[in-house]
Structure formats: structure tokens, C-alpha cells
Amino acid sequence: MPFLQKSYESLDTLAEAIGQAIRAPITIENRHHQLLAYSTHPDSTDPARIATIIGRRVPEAVIEDLWESGILQEVIDRDEPVVIPARMAVGLGERAAVVIKQQDDVLGYIWSLARTTPFSDQELTVLKEGASIAKKLLMTIAMHERRIDAELERFFLEVLATPNLSSAHRERLDELAPIAVASRLTIIECSQPITPQLAERLFYVLATQQAIEVVLHAIDGQQLLVWHYMKSELAEEETALLQWAIRFETQLRDKFNEVEPRLGVSRRFFESDMLYAAMEEARRVTSLRRKFPYELATTHTFEQIGIYQLVPDLARRIGLRLETHPTIERLQTYDVAHHTELVTTLEWYFYFDGNVKRVASHLHIHPNTVLYRIRRIEELTNITQVSLPERAAVYLAIKAGQYRQDD
Amino acid sequence: MPFLQKSYESLDTLAEAIGQAIRAPITIENRHHQLLAYSTHPDSTDPARIATIIGRRVPEAVIEDLWESGILQEVIDRDEPVVIPARMAVGLGERAAVVIKQQDDVLGYIWSLARTTPFSDQELTVLKEGASIAKKLLMTIAMHERRIDAELERFFLEVLATPNLSSAHRERLDELAPIAVASRLTIIECSQPITPQLAERLFYVLATQQAIEVVLHAIDGQQLLVWHYMKSELAEEETALLQWAIRFETQLRDKFNEVEPRLGVSRRFFESDMLYAAMEEARRVTSLRRKFPYELATTHTFEQIGIYQLVPDLARRIGLRLETHPTIERLQTYDVAHHTELVTTLEWYFYFDGNVKRVASHLHIHPNTVLYRIRRIEELTNITQVSLPERAAVYLAIKAGQYRQDD
DNA sequence: GTCCACTTTGTGTTTTTTCACAAAGTGGAC
DNA sequence: GTCCACTTTGTGAAAAAACACAAAGTGGAC
């Protein structure tokens, strides 16, 4: 009764066997839609399949289309071969698909292109049979991969927690990363601890980023830590990174809006010794962006946060009573005594470059109120008419104070 | 013939002997007008003498008056006892003075208050004789002091050049400085190498600073390095320091205008281990003030230079091609192509908080020209309407570029 | 509760800044 | 030399911002 053997030595031979049994092109993918095997059936094939084989992964557009239309969900839920009508918009001819599952765990998919004639029940049974055989093969691979991944993740976390690497560390790291490539450490921070399910989805999005190459990654509480480098030339590294960061964060917010993902990218580094420092830089970015979401809404990298780099240092010094800005102190005293908001007003007055109207609208008050407050501030400190460096210093002092408070 | 013995065991006994010989109060000072000895003559004395004895130093006002009126110069030049009429404005009654000299080197002075009767020639001869005896005593002291000073200076320079102090270093330093006092390292930078003569004058001004206590000092090329702490309470340390820095720099500029002295004060530190870091901070201040005299005209401390702290780092990263600000690059390209000054214009536009009039007057151009350029810049980059942190970042990038160029 | 000092808002007026446009200047390509 | 694209300056009109001042609101001291 079965059309296939009990087992095959590899997914390639399995794909070939299924392909011969139902006389149609077959592809087998893992759960990330990465190509695992495909049959060499000579029949005509469609653009989507060609792109998949060339790129060793199903094109992003196709995956998105299949998810959005609910087809993939149906394939997963049904756990039976599903016939899918052609979706020419994304270059997909008619085909059949079956999920490869272990309990509720999706391991992968088998796809079969349709020939001129529709699929018969018998052919679909062959696909179903193929999925069951593929399961065993995929489980072996998945288990192996998982073991390696877990070990690497443990190692990566250890490295990131070690300021001064041992030579053993260094040797192993150098095996992992190409030398003399401008690396970055990027943190993807979520508002909640990253569950295995969320991690899975995040890894998937990460793996599909065309612009970057991931060296290592690891989960640490609410943060996904990624050591990566840009695929672009060194000269374009920065531009490429900045563009990528914008795209990537938008993408993350689209897909994971509920956990409010936020990026923090370190400066570039070339030596694995710098991983610890890079980690601190990336952490500083996410931490500052957490505290100042409005002000740092469009910044992703340590470079971009600009003068905010100074804020934690300043905050610490204020904490140690090493630094107190006389101007701000006077204003704060006044604020307490008169229930006013002079410090906040000054902050946004500086932020908005002295534009009274914008300050008023941001604070939801009358422009004349802002004007009145500014005049008060001038009476108390005459700080508003100083130059940018001084204004920036005052601004930083205010921000440092807030940084401490929120702590 | 001589009225005094050939030698005395101490300056105190000498002062006493002279006082008895001419029956008038006697004080002996070193070249810095620090009190070395005084007679206990019971006669009435004047406010200046009381203040001198109490403060163990001639009051600053008196010294200034004597210098400005040329009296002290006359005393030094004449090398003979000089009778000085009363200068009641500074609390000085009539007196006689004689310089204690070794060749052309001033070692100190002997002062004698007048009694009701004028000084006789004989009395003046006694003074002259006293000066000659004091010379021997002072030379011994001076030589000893000089040897100790030179050794300490050498030690201090060694410490400042050592990032990681040995325990021997640390022990000796801890003997010199009181523990748990907020120290600062201040650099006084001159436009020329500090000659021994200049050093002498600088040390004198330094020694007369009431607000600070000097732990160690040393000359290093064009810089006078001073380890000191404020005499005020810890809580007022910062305020006191800032006030002192303003006063002191004004004073230095008055007295040493020809070498353009400039201060650079480190952050406060409590451990001698921090001397090296403090040195770097102070150096950063002087170096930045040298490069940006206009912008940092009123700043003295590492804290005060505010965001300029970032400039050298940024400059270095630009040098390594790690950082290029796309906005500024585009403007620079345009500047080169069209012989314009967009970058400079933007810099001062930011500096003057978007005040077109002030920018125009600073650059000596028509306000409309500024307006025209700003519009050009907006067309090229639309950077002018961003928030303070971003403007500050751009400003810093410009400044970092200049920092590098001037190097 | 009243008083009082201070803050906030609303109104027109005055001052300042920006804008549009024209004329003049500049410097390199040819 | 001319041409041309762009910059700089000058002028008056238009827009925006700041200002003065009055009225209303607020909150603590008593």
C-alpha cells in the first residue's frame, strides 16, 4: 500500500522519490522556509520555485503573501495536504503543500507544484506519507541544531559578560567571525521577557535580514543580543547600517508591536576583545531610549544618540553630589516653592530651539505662558541667551536629573 | 664697630637682636613676603604688621600697593635701607626696609617700623648689617627648600606620567595629601615655555591664592601643573572652585598677559590613583580651550566644557573614518564646489541659536546672506529644524572636524 | 471665609524677523 | 573677452514673534 520506502538516507533522496511517485517538482523546507531539499524533476517550474532554489530560501514576498492570505496557517492547522490555487502576483503556480509536524511543533513543509492535471487523492496521500518520513529526518537535524545553538548561545553570553577575554575565548570567537570586518553588537529590547515562542519569531525575522550577516545571537531576559556585520563594503558600512536600522526597527514594530521592540546598536568594532565594550554601548542606547522615548525616537546607534552619551555619566556624578548645576538648582527650588514647571519649560524651550509656539503646543499651554515662564527663568538665571554648548550642557544636566529619577 | 654679632642661630634671634639695637619692631620676610621672623618689641605697632603676623604673610593689598607705587622696586634696586613714608590707605605706618640679596637674587626683606623719632643713619646701618647676616641664614634655608622642591617636582611629574601607580608612589602621595579631600588638578598653560623667572612669579601668585591649598606643583614645558584642593567645605567645593577659577584666571591675565595664561581644571578626585586621569581631563580642557578660545572663553573646568568633552573622541573617530556625518559631508562638498561657507554658517547659526542677526554680525555679512545660506543648507540637508540633541550632535561633528584640522 | 502673591490666559499693539524680488557681484568654463 | 550659474546685498512688504496690559485663575497663609 505505501508508495514510498520506510526511510531514506537524506531529504534529497526523499524529495526525489516523492517527485517520481507523483511526477511533480518537489521542494522541502524547514520551518523558516529555508530550502532543505528539492527534486530534479525536469518539468517546467514557476518563478517562485526558481527563486527559492537560487536563494536557498522562499522569497520574502511569497512567504508574506501566504501568511497574510491565511494559506500557510491553514496548511499548518489542517496537518493534511492542502491544494493551493495559483497566486500569480507573487509568481506562484498552483501547488499542494503539507506541513511536517512533531506534535504541535512545525518542523517544515513539503511543496509540490501542480502539473497540467489536478492533484489526485492518491498523489496527496503520497505527500502525506512523505511528510511523515521527512519528520524523522528533520527531527534528527533539529535536535542537532538545537544542541549546537544552545551551546553557542551559552558561550556568547559568557563572552559578553567577560570584560577581559581569555585566549581560549578569543580563539573560538575568531573562528566564528571573519577577521577585519566591521562588527556591531545590536540589542533588540522588548517590554517583556522573551519567551521561546517570541524568540523563534524574532530569530526568523533576524535570519531574513538581507543587509546583515549574523555571527552569534543570544537571549538575555528581555533582550535579544546580536553580533553581526553589514554585508556592504566597509566604506558604506555606516550608511548601510543606518538605513538597515530604520528599516529593521519599523519591521519589528509592525510584527511585534505588543512587546514594543527597540533597537540599540553599538559602535563598530573589529576585535572580539571589544564585544564587552560594544555590549555596554548598545545597552546604553536601549537604556537611554527607554528613558527618553520621545527624544530618541529616531536614533538607533550609539553614534546617533550624540550628546546623550554623556547623560549616564552626568547622572552618576549628580548622584554622588559631584555635580550640581547652579542654574537648574535655582529653578528647581523655585518650582517647588511656586508649583511651577520652569525646569521642564526650559528643557523643551531648548529642545525646540526657542520656538515658543512649539513649546506651548508640546506642553499644552498658552504661548504667553511659555513667554512668561521664560522671562521668569531669565530673571532667575539669565541662561536662555547663552550659546549652544552651554545650552546643551544645561539640557544635559536636566536630562541627567531625569535619568536618575526614573531609575 | 658692628652693632650685631657675626651670626645668630635663627632668624628669630636675629630679629630680636636688631629690634633691641634700634629699639623698633622688626619683621623678616622671604621673597614671597611670607613671614619668617619678627621681634617681640613691646612698642605700638600698625595694622599692616598685625595682619602680617596673624596671617604669616604680608596682606595682598599692602604688597600690591608697595609694588604699584614702585617702593618695593626701589628697595630691591637700591640694596640699601630705604625709609618709606606712611601709607595709611593700606594701614602702613612709616617704616624702613632693606632687601636681603644674594647677587641679583632677592632672598627676602627686613622691615622696621618707625618710632616717634625718625630713623638715624646709625639705625639704618644696623638694618643693613642685619640684612647681611640674614643672607647667610636665608641662603641655607633657600638651598634646602630648593633641593626639596626640585625633588618633589620630579616625583610629581613621575606620578603624573604613570597610569598605574606603584604602592611606593601611593604611600608617598598619601603622606603629602590629606585623605578624603576633594582634590583637583589644574593646569596653567602659557603660550611659551615657562622660564625659571616666569615660574618664580607664577609660584608666587599661586602661593598667595587664599581659596586653595596646593599639595604639589611642577613645571612641564609650557604648563604649570598644580595639585590642589579648596579650603572650603566639601558641599561648597564646586561653587568655591568655579568662583576661584574665574578670579584666578583674571588675575593671571592681568599679571602675565604676554604669555596668555589659560586654566584647565580637572574634575574632583579623592584618590591619588586618579591623578593620571585628572591630568588627562585638565589637559583636555586646556587643549580644547587652545583650539576654541572664543567658544570656551568662559569655561575653566572639565565639567564646564560640557559637550566639548566629546570632541576629541569624535575627532579621533573621524580620523579613523569611523564616523562621517552625512549632513556635514554634503555641505562640505558643496562648499568646495561653490566656494561657500555653509558649514561655518551652520556652525554659528547653531551656536547663536538660530539668531540670523547675530550670525551675520559675527561673520561680518549681510543678514540676508545668512538667510540665503540657511535656505541652501535646508535644501541640501533639512537639518536646521531638528531638535537640540541633534543640532548639538551636528555642532560637535563640525567642531570635531576643526579639532582635527588644527592638529 | 479673605487676602495676597503669583500664574495663566486673552486682547490688541509694537517690534522683529522673514520673505519676495531685484540688482549687483563673483568666478570658472569656454 | 562673454556667458552662466551662483552668491551677495539692498529694498519694501508680509508674516511672525514678542510685548504690554488687563482679566481671570490658583493656592497657601491667616
Short mmCIF file of all heavy atoms in Angstrom, two decimals, chain A residues 296-316:
data_model
loop_
_atom_site.label_atom_id
_atom_site.label_comp_id
_atom_site.label_asym_id
_atom_site.label_seq_id
_atom_site.Cartn_x
_atom_site.Cartn_y
_atom_site.Cartn_z
N LEU A 296 14.56 60.34 21.74
CA LEU A 296 15.46 59.47 20.98
C LEU A 296 14.67 58.53 20.07
O LEU A 296 15.12 57.44 19.75
CB LEU A 296 16.34 58.66 21.95
CG LEU A 296 17.28 59.49 22.81
CD1 LEU A 296 18.05 58.62 23.79
CD2 LEU A 296 18.27 60.28 21.95
N ALA A 297 13.49 59.02 19.64
CA ALA A 297 12.62 58.15 18.84
C ALA A 297 13.29 57.69 17.55
O ALA A 297 13.10 56.56 17.12
CB ALA A 297 11.32 58.89 18.53
N THR A 298 14.06 58.56 16.94
CA THR A 298 14.60 58.21 15.62
C THR A 298 16.07 57.83 15.66
O THR A 298 16.74 57.81 14.64
CB THR A 298 14.42 59.39 14.65
OG1 THR A 298 15.12 60.51 15.18
CG2 THR A 298 12.95 59.73 14.47
N THR A 299 16.59 57.56 16.85
CA THR A 299 18.00 57.19 16.93
C THR A 299 18.12 55.71 17.26
O THR A 299 17.33 55.17 18.03
CB THR A 299 18.73 58.00 18.01
OG1 THR A 299 18.11 57.73 19.27
CG2 THR A 299 18.66 59.48 17.73
N HIS A 300 19.10 55.08 16.67
CA HIS A 300 19.27 53.65 16.90
C HIS A 300 20.67 53.30 17.38
O HIS A 300 20.86 52.33 18.09
CB HIS A 300 19.00 52.87 15.62
CG HIS A 300 17.69 53.19 15.00
ND1 HIS A 300 17.56 54.04 13.93
CD2 HIS A 300 16.44 52.81 15.32
CE1 HIS A 300 16.28 54.16 13.61
NE2 HIS A 300 15.58 53.43 14.43
N THR A 301 21.66 54.08 16.97
CA THR A 301 23.04 53.70 17.26
C THR A 301 23.66 54.60 18.34
O THR A 301 23.16 55.69 18.61
CB THR A 301 23.92 53.83 16.00
OG1 THR A 301 24.08 55.22 15.71
CG2 THR A 301 23.27 53.12 14.82
N PHE A 302 24.74 54.10 18.88
CA PHE A 302 25.48 54.85 19.90
C PHE A 302 25.93 56.19 19.34
O PHE A 302 25.91 57.20 20.04
CB PHE A 302 26.68 54.02 20.35
CG PHE A 302 27.37 54.58 21.56
CD1 PHE A 302 26.79 54.47 22.81
CD2 PHE A 302 28.61 55.19 21.45
CE1 PHE A 302 27.43 54.97 23.94
CE2 PHE A 302 29.26 55.69 22.57
CZ PHE A 302 28.66 55.58 23.81
N GLU A 303 26.32 56.19 18.09
CA GLU A 303 26.73 57.45 17.45
C GLU A 303 25.55 58.42 17.42
O GLU A 303 25.70 59.61 17.69
CB GLU A 303 27.19 57.22 16.01
CG GLU A 303 28.56 56.60 15.88
CD GLU A 303 28.50 55.11 15.67
OE1 GLU A 303 27.48 54.49 16.06
OE2 GLU A 303 29.48 54.56 15.13
N GLN A 304 24.39 57.92 17.07
CA GLN A 304 23.25 58.79 16.85
C GLN A 304 22.73 59.45 18.12
O GLN A 304 22.15 60.53 18.06
CB GLN A 304 22.11 58.00 16.19
CG GLN A 304 22.35 57.72 14.72
CD GLN A 304 21.16 57.00 14.11
OE1 GLN A 304 20.70 55.99 14.63
NE2 GLN A 304 20.66 57.53 13.02
N ILE A 305 22.89 58.79 19.27
CA ILE A 305 22.35 59.42 20.47
C ILE A 305 23.16 60.65 20.85
O ILE A 305 22.76 61.43 21.70
CB ILE A 305 22.25 58.45 21.67
CG1 ILE A 305 23.61 57.93 22.09
CG2 ILE A 305 21.31 57.29 21.34
CD1 ILE A 305 23.57 57.14 23.38
N GLY A 306 24.27 60.83 20.14
CA GLY A 306 25.02 62.09 20.25
C GLY A 306 25.33 62.47 21.68
O GLY A 306 25.91 61.68 22.43
N ILE A 307 24.91 63.65 22.06
CA ILE A 307 25.26 64.15 23.38
C ILE A 307 24.63 63.36 24.50
O ILE A 307 25.06 63.47 25.63
CB ILE A 307 24.89 65.64 23.53
CG1 ILE A 307 23.41 65.83 23.23
CG2 ILE A 307 25.72 66.49 22.60
CD1 ILE A 307 22.92 67.19 23.62
N TYR A 308 23.62 62.58 24.19
CA TYR A 308 23.02 61.75 25.24
C TYR A 308 24.02 60.73 25.80
O TYR A 308 23.81 60.18 26.87
CB TYR A 308 21.78 61.04 24.72
CG TYR A 308 20.53 61.87 24.85
CD1 TYR A 308 20.18 62.78 23.88
CD2 TYR A 308 19.73 61.78 25.97
CE1 TYR A 308 19.05 63.57 24.00
CE2 TYR A 308 18.59 62.55 26.11
CZ TYR A 308 18.26 63.44 25.12
OH TYR A 308 17.14 64.22 25.26
N GLN A 309 25.10 60.51 25.06
CA GLN A 309 26.15 59.63 25.57
C GLN A 309 26.61 60.07 26.95
O GLN A 309 27.05 59.26 27.75
CB GLN A 309 27.35 59.64 24.61
CG GLN A 309 27.12 58.93 23.31
CD GLN A 309 28.29 59.12 22.35
OE1 GLN A 309 29.40 59.41 22.77
NE2 GLN A 309 28.04 58.95 21.06
N LEU A 310 26.55 61.35 27.19
CA LEU A 310 27.07 61.89 28.45
C LEU A 310 26.10 61.72 29.62
O LEU A 310 26.50 61.84 30.77
CB LEU A 310 27.38 63.38 28.28
CG LEU A 310 28.55 63.78 27.40
CD1 LEU A 310 28.62 65.28 27.28
CD2 LEU A 310 29.86 63.25 27.98
N VAL A 311 24.83 61.49 29.30
CA VAL A 311 23.81 61.53 30.34
C VAL A 311 24.05 60.57 31.51
O VAL A 311 24.04 61.01 32.67
CB VAL A 311 22.40 61.33 29.73
CG1 VAL A 311 21.37 61.04 30.80
CG2 VAL A 311 22.01 62.57 28.94
N PRO A 312 24.32 59.28 31.27
CA PRO A 312 24.50 58.41 32.43
C PRO A 312 25.67 58.83 33.32
O PRO A 312 25.55 58.82 34.55
CB PRO A 312 24.77 57.04 31.80
CG PRO A 312 24.14 57.12 30.45
CD PRO A 312 24.35 58.53 30.01
N ASP A 313 26.77 59.25 32.69
CA ASP A 313 27.92 59.73 33.46
C ASP A 313 27.52 60.91 34.34
O ASP A 313 27.82 60.95 35.54
CB ASP A 313 29.03 60.20 32.51
CG ASP A 313 30.01 59.09 32.23
OD1 ASP A 313 29.92 58.05 32.89
OD2 ASP A 313 30.87 59.27 31.35
N LEU A 314 26.87 61.87 33.71
CA LEU A 314 26.43 63.06 34.45
C LEU A 314 25.50 62.66 35.58
O LEU A 314 25.62 63.16 36.70
CB LEU A 314 25.71 64.02 33.50
CG LEU A 314 26.59 64.84 32.59
CD1 LEU A 314 25.75 65.58 31.56
CD2 LEU A 314 27.37 65.85 33.42
N ALA A 315 24.59 61.74 35.26
CA ALA A 315 23.62 61.32 36.27
C ALA A 315 24.34 60.71 37.47
O ALA A 315 24.02 60.99 38.62
CB ALA A 315 22.66 60.32 35.67
N ARG A 316 25.35 59.91 37.18
CA ARG A 316 26.09 59.28 38.26
C ARG A 316 26.79 60.34 39.11
O ARG A 316 26.78 60.30 40.32
CB ARG A 316 27.10 58.29 37.69
CG ARG A 316 27.73 57.40 38.72
CD ARG A 316 28.19 56.09 38.11
NE ARG A 316 28.50 56.20 36.70
CZ ARG A 316 29.64 56.67 36.21
NH1 ARG A 316 30.58 57.08 37.03
NH2 ARG A 316 29.84 56.74 34.91
#
